[in-house]
Amino acid sequence: MMAYKSFYLVFPIALLILPFFNSPSFAQITPTINPVSPDRICKFTRDPLYCKSVLPNWGNVYDYGRISVQKSLWQSRIFFSLIEYYLRTQSRSLKTPAIRALQDCKFLASLNTDFLTSSYQTLSNANQTLPESRAGDAQTLLSAILTNQQTCLDGIRATAPSDWRVGNGAFTVPLSNDTKLFSVSLALFMKGWVPERKNSTARWPWQPTKVQQLFLNGKLPLKMSNQTREIYERVCRRRSSGDDSENYVLVSDIVVVSQDGSGNFSTINDAVAAAPNNTDGTNGYFLIYVTAGVYEEYVSIAKNKMFLMMIGDGINQTIITGNRSVVDGWTTFNSATFAVVAPNFVAVDITFRNTAGAAKQQAVALRSGADLSTFYSCSFEGYQDTLYTHSLRQFYRECDVYGTVDFIFGNAAVVLQNCNMYPRLPMAGQFNTITAQGRTDPNQNTGTSIHNCTIRAADDLASSNITVQTYLGRPWKEYSRTVYMQSFMDGLISPAGWSIWSGDFALNTSYYAEYGNSGPGSNTSNRVTWPGYHVINATDAGNFTVSAFLLGDDWLPQTGVPYTGGLI
């Protein structure tokens, strides 16, 4: 703890104060109607004593909510400055894993500042519940802030054995304190601005619109602007008659990536760099067509590359591959071969691969922290931690996921629909777990929903004649939430269904559920008896469908990707 104190003695006071002057002034908030005491309002938070310590003695739920978000924004800027200063002044004396963990934290703190700024703008003049879509947007951002905090904290803790200066409290203490404040902000937002959830069955029976019916056989009808017929035909064939613009996914521009030099670029990164910044989607997607080939690249799509669509020539035809891993000094977060945080990203017909192998432990093929991101007819190949559904809202349709330990993990609000999960042959002594969901706060709108999917052994496991225990998931974090619905489970699934993480951790607070599954591994009669495990009915399952859980009807139609909004 001495290192923690001494570091703050040399940390420039100006860096601590400056963010305050860039934040909305607390004096701008005055109490309005229906005042309540902090004692009463803090009962709705996870830590009432802490909540009361950060709130004034006056106000109503909206005043308190805005003040907590303001303070959260202030603290996020302070933490960003702390990380930035430490990297600038101390990085020469740090080991590489510690530097990479701090770089992750800097990146995540920057996102938190953006998310809190957006959240405050939403709440600044709202003194009543918000429409469902706007409330969902803000809850998603406030949920992601907590996820970013936890990711930073996990990375720093993992460096402690190799560099005690980073893991000894200098960063873990402010991270933990800020997390408490962010949790208060989320709880007060839920109390003041979120409408009572309507019965999800109100949207049923769901019928697909024209756009959802058009994406057939892997061909996406694109409405091009300023493009030649030749390129148009190379990307996709027209799938419908007539010229009604509703029948197309709007594309503003297109570039072609080809390793033989026949396209606009020979690397994916160069094509991404050419995409416009901060577009609003009015003119459609910027489309990157990646022709068949093996692309040994680490691709990171920044937050300003919005409304980007990437189409390949098919699974195992267009392959993006890398081999970063935790064993080789990378954090789990930055081990990803392909990473995206830009909103409204769409990927089609691409294989994302990490070839580090089972012995290299955590090694991510794809990490998505992109809100409203969509993956159609893609494959994700790795071993431990293959697909990192990190945060915000995501949808996967007709995708293949290969892995061993926790190979679908993260804390997004995510639905995988009509997908295939292929547990592989792990290292000797290991068992397989398909999911490890990372929800840390009961007010987060996150969880993993697996709908109408198929779980079968990958070829290496099926042909090994080795018995490997394979589980549907285990509770990575305290409020882990995963639901399997109307999916086929082959005989490799353990009768218990679910595995512990450590002792009795999260067995009472997690939420694991199954509904209407089939196959020899779907029998629930010998499942775990944890308080957090449930066999649910159609009404409860409806809460985890695309329409209800992701509000997918509001944003998926523009992608052209097919989906089922409710239960099948």
Side-chain angles (χ1 to χ4, degrees):
M1 189 59 68
M2 287 301 296
Y4 169 65
K5 292 179 180 178
S6 63
F7 176 70
Y8 270 97
L9 289 175
V10 301
F11 185 66
I13 297 299
L15 289 178
L16 291 173
I17 298 175
L18 180 61
F20 174 79
F21 292 105
N22 292 329
S23 300
S25 171
F26 294 137
Q28 292 174 355
I29 295 179
T30 56
T32 53
I33 58 174
N34 300 322
V36 294
S37 69
D39 284 323
R40 181 178 174 187
I41 203 68
C42 285
K43 290 179 180 178
F44 297 100
T45 68
R46 294 186 66 195
D47 190 338
L49 287 177
Y50 175 81
C51 173
K52 287 189 290 184
S53 74
V54 297
L55 294 183
N57 293 322
W58 49 261
N60 61 24
V61 64
Y62 303 108
D63 301 321
Y64 292 137
R66 280 187 282 267
I67 287 172
S68 65
V69 171
Q70 282 184 322
K71 288 188 174 184
S72 295
L73 178 57
W74 181 21
Q75 289 302 123
S76 72
R77 288 172 172 167
I78 290 175
F79 187 72
F80 177 86
S81 298
L82 168 65
I83 295 289
E84 188 177 50
Y85 177 79
Y86 199 87
L87 281 170
R88 187 171 64 250
T89 61
Q90 306 294 321
S91 59
R92 289 186 179 181
S93 64
L94 296 175
K95 295 181 180 179
T96 298
I99 292 173
R100 287 172 174 164
L102 291 174
Q103 287 171 338
D104 289 350
C105 289
K106 180 181 175 182
F107 174 76
L108 294 164
S110 174
L111 291 179
N112 279 356
T113 299
D114 292 344
F115 294 167
L116 283 162
T117 299
S118 178
S119 298
Y120 182 76
Q121 289 171 349
T122 298
L123 308 185
S124 60
N125 295 309
N127 292 311
Q128 58 187 0
T129 57
L130 296 169
E132 186 178 30
S133 61
R134 289 189 67 200
D137 290 345
Q139 186 184 2
T140 295
L141 294 179
L142 293 171
S143 296
I145 290 161
L146 288 169
T147 302
N148 291 341
Q149 288 288 105
Q150 188 65 49
T151 302
C152 173
L153 185 60
D154 287 345
I156 283 177
R157 285 173 173 168
T159 69
S162 63
D163 202 317
W164 61 269
R165 289 166 297 178
V166 172
N168 72 344
F171 300 102
T172 57
V173 171
L175 271 170
S176 298
N177 289 338
D178 290 353
T179 296
K180 292 180 182 180
L181 179 59
F182 299 163
S183 179
V184 168
S185 295
L186 177 57
L188 296 183
F189 169 76
M190 295 294 293
K191 179 61 180 174
W193 284 275
V194 176
E196 185 175 348
R197 189 63 179 268
K198 296 179 181 179
N199 191 332
S200 61
T201 58
R203 299 181 184 222
W204 302 347
W206 183 87
Q207 295 296 326
T209 66
K210 276 185 177 182
V211 177
Q212 277 87 63
Q213 292 173 334
L214 284 171
F215 204 147
L216 303 173
N217 301 319
K219 302 299 183 183
L220 179 62
L222 304 172
K223 184 171 183 179
M224 309 300 298
S225 58
N226 303 320
Q227 299 301 319
T228 66
R229 171 67 61 175
E230 179 184 358
I231 294 180
Y232 174 82
E233 292 294 340
R234 284 179 63 186
V235 180
C236 281
R237 295 178 180 177
R238 191 167 176 169
R239 298 300 302 178
S240 65
S241 60
D243 295 321
D244 186 348
S245 61
E246 272 192 336
N247 292 337
Y248 298 89
V249 175
L250 187 61
V251 172
S252 61
D253 204 353
I254 180 173
V255 295
V256 178
V257 179
S258 180
Q259 292 176 323
D260 64 8
S262 62
N264 304 93
F265 302 99
S266 59
T267 70
I268 297 169
N269 278 301
D270 285 345
V272 171
N277 296 331
N278 300 314
T279 59
D280 61 6
T282 301
N283 296 321
Y285 292 95
F286 182 87
L287 192 150
I288 299 174
Y289 170 44
V290 186
T291 61
V294 178
Y295 295 82
E296 296 182 3
E297 297 186 53
Y298 295 97
V299 180
S300 182
I301 300 179
K303 62 185 180 182
N304 62 341
K305 300 294 183 179
M306 298 177 285
F307 288 94
L308 192 152
M309 178 178 286
M310 190 174 292
I311 298 180
D313 272 332
I315 291 174
N316 292 329
Q317 297 300 311
T318 297
I319 301 168
I320 306 172
T321 184
N323 62 1
R324 289 176 178 171
S325 68
V326 167
V327 168
D328 286 337
W330 300 92
T331 63
T332 301
F333 186 80
N334 63 30
S335 71
T337 300
F338 192 103
V340 55
V341 295
N344 298 96
F345 175 77
V346 181
V348 183
D349 287 338
I350 299 173
T351 290
F352 302 93
R353 184 177 290 169
N354 190 312
T355 62
K360 292 299 181 75
Q361 300 178 22
Q362 297 95 328
V364 175
L366 180 134
R367 185 192 82 233
S368 177
D371 198 21
L372 312 178
S373 54
T374 307
F375 299 83
Y376 178 69
S377 188
C378 291
S379 183
F380 309 94
E381 300 177 9
Y383 287 86
Q384 183 172 348
D385 290 2
T386 302
L387 176 58
Y388 196 172
T389 58
H390 179 260
S391 56
L392 304 164
R393 293 166 289 192
Q394 308 177 25
F395 178 63
Y396 297 75
R397 171 82 179 202
E398 296 174 33
C399 292
D400 300 333
V401 192
Y402 295 81
T404 54
V405 178
D406 306 334
F407 65 91
I408 301 172
F409 76 113
N411 194 25
V414 56
V415 176
L416 295 99
Q417 189 175 84
N418 293 31
C419 293
N420 299 303
M421 286 79 180
Y422 293 112
R424 306 176 83 165
L425 183 66
M427 292 192 297
Q430 282 187 330
F431 56 83
N432 286 334
T433 43
I434 297 172
T435 66
Q437 206 281 326
R439 188 165 167 254
T440 60
D441 191 293
N443 287 312
Q444 288 179 303
N445 62 346
T446 56
T448 300
S449 174
I450 296 176
H451 184 208
N452 195 32
C453 293
T454 298
I455 304 167
R456 286 194 172 95
D459 290 343
D460 61 347
L461 178 58
S463 62
S464 68
N465 295 319
I466 298 175
T467 299
V468 175
Q469 292 295 318
T470 297
Y471 299 94
L472 300 174
R474 59 178 181 159
W476 181 30
K477 301 298 180 184
E478 188 174 3
Y479 293 93
S480 180
R481 181 162 65 173
T482 303
V483 179
Y484 284 80
M485 311 186 300
Q486 299 179 315
S487 294
F488 175 86
M489 302 176 181
D490 214 343
L492 78 163
I493 299 299
S494 168
W498 306 84
S499 174
I500 63 168
W501 185 268
S502 178
D504 62 356
F505 171 74
L507 303 188
N508 295 324
T509 52
S510 58
Y511 183 88
Y512 288 124
E514 298 180 55
Y515 167 75
N517 299 304
S518 61
S522 67
N523 190 327
T524 60
S525 60
N526 292 311
R527 290 294 198 247
V528 295
T529 58
W530 311 336
Y533 171 73
H534 311 272
V535 177
I536 57 177
N537 58 27
T539 300
D540 291 334
N543 293 318
F544 298 96
T545 58
V546 170
S547 293
F549 195 49
L550 300 182
L551 299 182
D553 299 329
D554 295 339
W555 57 277
L556 278 172
Q558 69 179 331
T559 69
V561 172
Y563 71 93
T564 301
L567 297 173
I568 57 174

